[in-house]
Amino acid sequence: MNRQRSFIGFIVAGAIALLVIAIAGFYWFFGKSPANLIGSTSQPGATIFVSKLSPVMVSLLANPDRLQALEREEELSKLKTSLFAKSGIDYKQDIQPWLGDEITLAIATLDIDRDLENGQQPGYLLALATKQPEKSREFVELLFSKRALAGANLAVEQYKGVKLISDNSQPEQDLLAGAVVGEGFVLFANDPKVLRDAINNVQAPDLNLTSSPEYQKATKELPKGGLAVAFLNLPIVAKWQGLELPEELYNSQIISLALNPKGLLAETTFLTSSEIVSPSAPLSKPVGALQYIPASAGLAISGSNLSNLSNSDLAKLWRQATATIYGSEDVVSRLAKPLADIQKRWGINLPEDIFSWVLGEYAIALLPDKEQTTPHWIFVVEKSEGVEQGVARLDAIASSNGLSINPLTIDKQKIFAWTELITATKKSDVKEGASFSIETKVRGLHTTFGNYEIFTSDLETMNEILTAKDNSIINNSNFKDSIAAIPRPNQGYIYLDWTKSQNLLERQVPILKLVEVLGKPFFNNLRSLTVSSYGTETRSLKGGVFFKLHNS
């Protein structure tokens, strides 16, 4: 297990850091030379080395130095220097001359020796494209000679015409293996066996990822000029995490990152052998319910037809993805806690008591409050069959929970408020004891406006909706730019204003703070992100996440 940790620290973590920082650095090119920043190929060439049983492969399809000329604060330079400082390697002198236009990192195998008794030791494979094979061979020799000087015992072997170098390392300096294969790639791994398997995958093409039918189908979904791509074999990812999924609808996932004049668009496609049906008809334009969501919203979700959401393929994907990625419900439960709290407080079942009668358009929003940990909320639903009965049902639930239903007027608009009488105690100046007062606490409101029923958490939010109709999110330039990047028709949008919601999200998901530290250049410039599902294929579910950045 020691060997695995050190290798991750030197090679895997370094490669991931280069990928993340390089991708994060793409925002510096907006408005400057975006046309020059496209992937050199539509898909990675290193897949010939990767087993078709690999759970995960990630590739950067552009040389990181293409970012160097326009970088700010020299984050990439600092990263490259720090990565190789302990090894005595100089990036500019030893790597830059030969590094090509691809960096691929893969989990080559779940267990190198396939011996369950000594624990699972994943095999990691890093492939670096080379444009000068001789220079790259010199680098490999230099790297291992420096490790030998540090106390490692080197081993050299010829395997199927390829020279493999590895070290039988000391406990404090763990195993590393490397080779230059042909004229195209430099390979590193955390065990010589991983390199041998990679060479076997080239010479027996039916073993490698390129020959996988799932991968072939997935690559057809890749956009042209993508800057990075990741492929996940979902059942094997679950196995890697030691999970048995209750249901497996999707077999694989491919993710691509492409440049957009306004930001970065990450597109993903989930593939399945079963036919899938969208939860609702695709929308050719943003729903009208968004006109009642203020521009101050930190989170806005819009679409149509919630009645079949829990049984939809989108919901099945959520259950499968969260179980596969997290391996536990801890993070998921934190994200869903506000919904759980609402259900508990009101004694309702969201799918039965609300979602079941939302057949038309809807919009949901959270408005951060600097003075409160709980944000204000808005729920807008288009009037359709069943809405009137649904509202009456919510009124009945409110009444059964001891709330009064009181009419009031704001700007000539009739509103119904769910209120509760509470007693407030304050210390009296009179010696006899404390004095009491009765206060009315608003627990929620609703009103019919035009063709929509609007629900809010408080009077201030309802007043903002009714008195500032022209200041809606649908007229917000940031929101308009974000949804313009998402293909249409689609299933609606999840829009997150990062600057307004950052504090709220950090409270719900504390690990997010660590993610922000690791991707500081990116998160410092992130303005918003927008998620949507689209595509018309019956055996795949396609969607995208658009990241809008401050200077775009």
Side-chain angles (χ1 to χ4, degrees), residues 14 78 128 130 139 289 322 358 363 407 426 463 465:
K78 294 175 184 176
L128 307 173
T130 176
F139 166 73
T322 51
V358 180
K426 60 181 179 178
N463 182 63
I465 294 172

Side-chain angles (χ1 to χ4, degrees), residues 111-128:
D111 192 7
I112 294 173
D113 60 9
R114 296 179 176 83
D115 185 355
L116 297 179
E117 293 185 2
N118 61 5
Q120 204 174 56
Q121 297 185 26
Y124 297 92
L125 179 69
L126 176 68
L128 307 173

Side-chain angles (χ1 to χ4, degrees), residues 186-200:
V186 178
L187 304 184
F188 290 104
N190 58 333
D191 195 287
K193 187 179 186 307
V194 175
L195 293 186
R196 295 188 203 106
D197 288 344
I199 294 169
N200 291 339

Side-chain angles (χ1 to χ4, degrees), residues 27-28 72 520-527 548-550:
Y27 68 83
W28 289 318
R72 295 177 186 170
K520 185 177 179 180
F522 178 75
F523 283 97
N524 282 352
N525 289 275
L526 178 62
R527 185 169 183 176
K548 193 172 192 305
L549 302 151
H550 276 295

